[in-house]
Amino acid sequence: MGDRKVRVMAVLICVTLLLTGVDVGLGGLVDRVRASSGGPEDGCGRPLYHPDGAPWNHQTPCPVSNGVDPMDADGGGGPGARFESPYVAYSTGGSWVEAVSMDDLDRDGKLDMALSTSDYSDPSRDQRLWVVRQSNPLSFSLVYSAPVGASDPESLDVADMDGDGYLDVVVANADGGASGTGDVEIFWATGTFTFTRTDHPAGDTPYAVTTMPVYDHTGTTGYTSTLAVVTNWNDTILSTYLGGTGHTVTRTNYPAPEAGWNQLATGDLNDDGDQDVAAMWGQLYAVPAFTEYFGDGEGNLSVGPDFSKDDQNPSAVGAGDVTNDGRDDVIIARGGNDAEILIYAQGPGGELSHTATYAAYDCPESLDVADVNCDGISDLVATNAGWEAFSWWPGQPDGTLGPYQIEPHSFYFSHIGPNGAEMADVNGDGLKDYVVVDYNADGVLVALQKPCLTNKLYLPLVTRSAT
């Protein structure tokens, strides 16, 4: 699959001009008076009265959405507006990190990490599953590490595969194993941070993995287990692994239009209440951008429609409500430089159709949906490989996306794998943070979302006579 550590030279110049605090009082002195929002407010959350009791007749639209600090509002704060600078939350100490999943594995209310490493520089740490506990807020320590049964564990996901209340880890190994072309392994949790591994056949070079809940639709037992879905780099099949009691697994293969670079996203893509899969295909111009696979909620998939593309390869797929209508949509990123994202919106009948295309910052290789500007509307977040940055598009009330905002940082990675980035509430403040693996830093980076402005302060002008 080539050397993904070849650095692409790039220059990112971000110039931001932020002009604040300029007030002119005509014919007199101007004081800035702080007034809290404890009194009556208008629909924008602004006070209806000046501190001296005079009515405040606002003539302008709401300047800030739902209490976001104006210095950090989308479009107003410039690069780095909504996230703190990333930092290395955990380092493997000399191994190439491939994938990460943030989940509460010990059920203590704090998110822990499951991550995988492949082969690069340290045989004692390579080709392993790592489980890292968040014991204190933002303090991570290793509690479990074990070798995988193959090599090149490109992706992983965490879910309760057998319905016993413990979270298990599903790993897709792109190489090695009994067949020599990779396998799928499940690390079954048998207690808190104790695991038993089982190995399962796969197609040629399993690459991306995601998980979906399985329910008893008769209403007698509710949630029962999990379905793991895996793509195969060199095979035209999509494989599923249905977990059961006693660590049993049932594998089923579904046809795929083409092998090649691929990713997965899940959501309710036909408005029937069950989770579905959008599988992205690439490398060859003749293949579709993605295929829908509809889930019945009981561990079965049916092959849905393909969605075609033109002469640009897709580079990432995501799913979520980015049109602000309560229905999950599919988002495809494509292109290297001069990239773009395509929105496939879900209609009232559950069908998807291409409704919008937006400009993107260079080389988007992951897509996640989360509210990152505190306005209650989902935004779209992308990792930009090779450019020391990630970016996001603010969701608008009318269902469109605003121009992308850039969040620059000082870390470099030329490629992000299918499970290499996600949005998760790492510090437990109710806001989704940005999490991404960085093989150059041998660890996992976290960029915390900045707090919303909860104690809104307003700065009205009080003009006094000069005499």
Side-chain angles (χ1 to χ4, degrees):
M1 284 177 266
D3 183 359
R4 291 168 292 152
K5 283 200 172 183
V6 176
R7 178 163 182 155
V8 179
M9 299 303 296
V11 177
L12 173 63
I13 301 176
C14 298
V15 179
T16 303
L17 179 62
L18 183 63
L19 185 61
T20 59
V22 180
D23 296 314
V24 178
L26 299 178
L29 301 175
V30 178
D31 294 331
R32 298 181 69 87
V33 179
R34 295 182 178 269
S36 75
S37 59
E41 299 177 342
D42 66 5
C44 302
R46 299 175 296 194
L48 294 177
Y49 301 95
H50 288 273
D52 61 2
W56 194 334
N57 297 317
H58 298 285
Q59 301 296 320
T60 59
C62 302
V64 182
S65 297
N66 285 358
V68 178
D69 186 341
M71 296 292 289
D72 294 337
D74 58 275
R82 285 300 301 141
F83 293 86
E84 304 289 348
S85 296
Y87 69 99
V88 180
Y90 183 77
S91 174
T92 59
S95 287
W96 191 338
V97 185
E98 296 284 358
V100 64
S101 183
M102 302 292 301
D103 301 273
D104 186 3
L105 280 87
D106 59 354
R107 298 176 289 189
D108 68 347
K110 297 184 291 293
L111 295 186
D112 312 301
M113 293 182 188
L115 54 101
S116 62
T117 56
S118 62
D119 50 349
Y120 180 58
S121 65
D122 188 342
S124 67
R125 295 172 176 264
D126 293 344
Q127 301 173 2
R128 301 180 75 86
L129 168 69
W130 303 60
V131 177
V132 182
R133 184 189 182 201
Q134 186 177 185
S135 53
N136 298 310
L138 302 180
S139 177
F140 294 91
S141 58
L142 181 67
V143 292
Y144 178 85
S145 178
V148 296
S151 59
D152 200 9
E154 286 284 347
S155 61
L156 59 80
D157 203 3
V158 173
D160 182 0
M161 289 292 293
D162 54 1
D164 66 352
Y166 291 105
L167 291 178
D168 312 302
V169 184
V170 184
V171 179
N173 290 288
D175 195 13
S179 66
T181 57
D183 64 12
V184 170
E185 300 174 9
I186 301 177
F187 286 77
W188 304 90
T190 56
T192 302
F193 302 131
T194 60
F195 299 88
T196 297
R197 193 192 83 207
T198 59
D199 301 352
H200 305 275
D204 190 343
T205 318
Y207 187 64
V209 60
T210 190
T211 55
M212 303 163 55
V214 175
Y215 297 95
D216 175 10
H217 280 179
T218 65
T220 58
T221 59
Y223 172 81
T224 59
S225 63
T226 295
L227 184 72
V229 184
V230 178
T231 61
N232 297 277
W233 184 293
N234 292 318
D235 220 337
T236 55
I237 58 173
L238 182 82
S239 300
T240 63
Y241 299 81
L242 178 60
T245 58
H247 301 171
T248 59
V249 174
T250 302
R251 178 191 174 199
T252 305
N253 292 329
Y254 298 87
E258 188 61 65
W261 162 262
N262 43 54
Q263 290 189 25
L264 297 169
T266 59
D268 182 1
L269 304 181
N270 59 355
D271 203 27
D272 66 352
D274 294 317
Q275 290 289 290
D276 311 303
V277 178
M280 181 193 82
W281 315 109
Q283 282 194 324
L284 302 177
Y285 290 151
V287 306
F290 70 95
T291 302
E292 284 186 280
Y293 293 83
F294 298 121
D296 64 359
E298 298 182 356
N300 305 298
L301 298 181
S302 59
V303 182
D306 295 330
F307 291 83
S308 61
K309 62 185 179 64
D310 53 26
D311 62 349
Q312 291 195 57
N313 282 323
S315 57
V317 63
D321 180 16
V322 292
T323 54
N324 198 32
D325 62 359
R327 302 183 186 91
D328 286 340
D329 313 300
V330 173
I331 311 98
I332 287 286
R334 63 181 189 179
N337 299 335
D338 300 320
E340 59 188 8
I341 58 168
L342 284 68
I343 307 300
Y344 290 82
Q346 184 178 165
E351 73 287 347
L352 295 182
S353 61
H354 176 215
T355 58
T357 299
Y358 298 94
Y361 192 58
D362 294 340
C363 305
E365 288 197 356
S366 75
L367 293 171
D368 285 283
V369 176
D371 179 11
V372 299
N373 61 357
C374 309
D375 64 355
I377 300 174
S378 295
D379 310 305
L380 181 64
V381 183
T383 301
N384 300 95
W387 287 94
E388 298 181 352
F390 63 100
S391 55
W392 60 279
W393 293 257
Q396 306 297 309
D398 64 359
T400 63
L401 297 178
Y404 63 81
Q405 313 292 306
I406 299 173
E407 299 276 347
H409 55 76
S410 59
F411 294 92
Y412 178 85
F413 28 81
S414 60
H415 172 68
I416 296 296
N419 295 70
E422 68 172 90
M423 300 296 297
D425 182 8
V426 179
N427 59 353
D429 63 354
L431 303 174
K432 292 290 186 71
D433 308 304
Y434 174 72
V435 182
V436 63
V437 301
D438 180 10
Y439 45 74
N440 286 314
D442 297 324
V444 179
L445 308 179
V446 171
L448 298 174
Q449 187 179 164
K450 294 178 182 177
C452 302
L453 186 62
T454 55
N455 226 357
K456 293 178 283 188
L457 296 177
Y458 300 92
L459 306 176
L461 294 180
V462 177
T463 304
R464 297 176 180 165
S465 172
T467 58

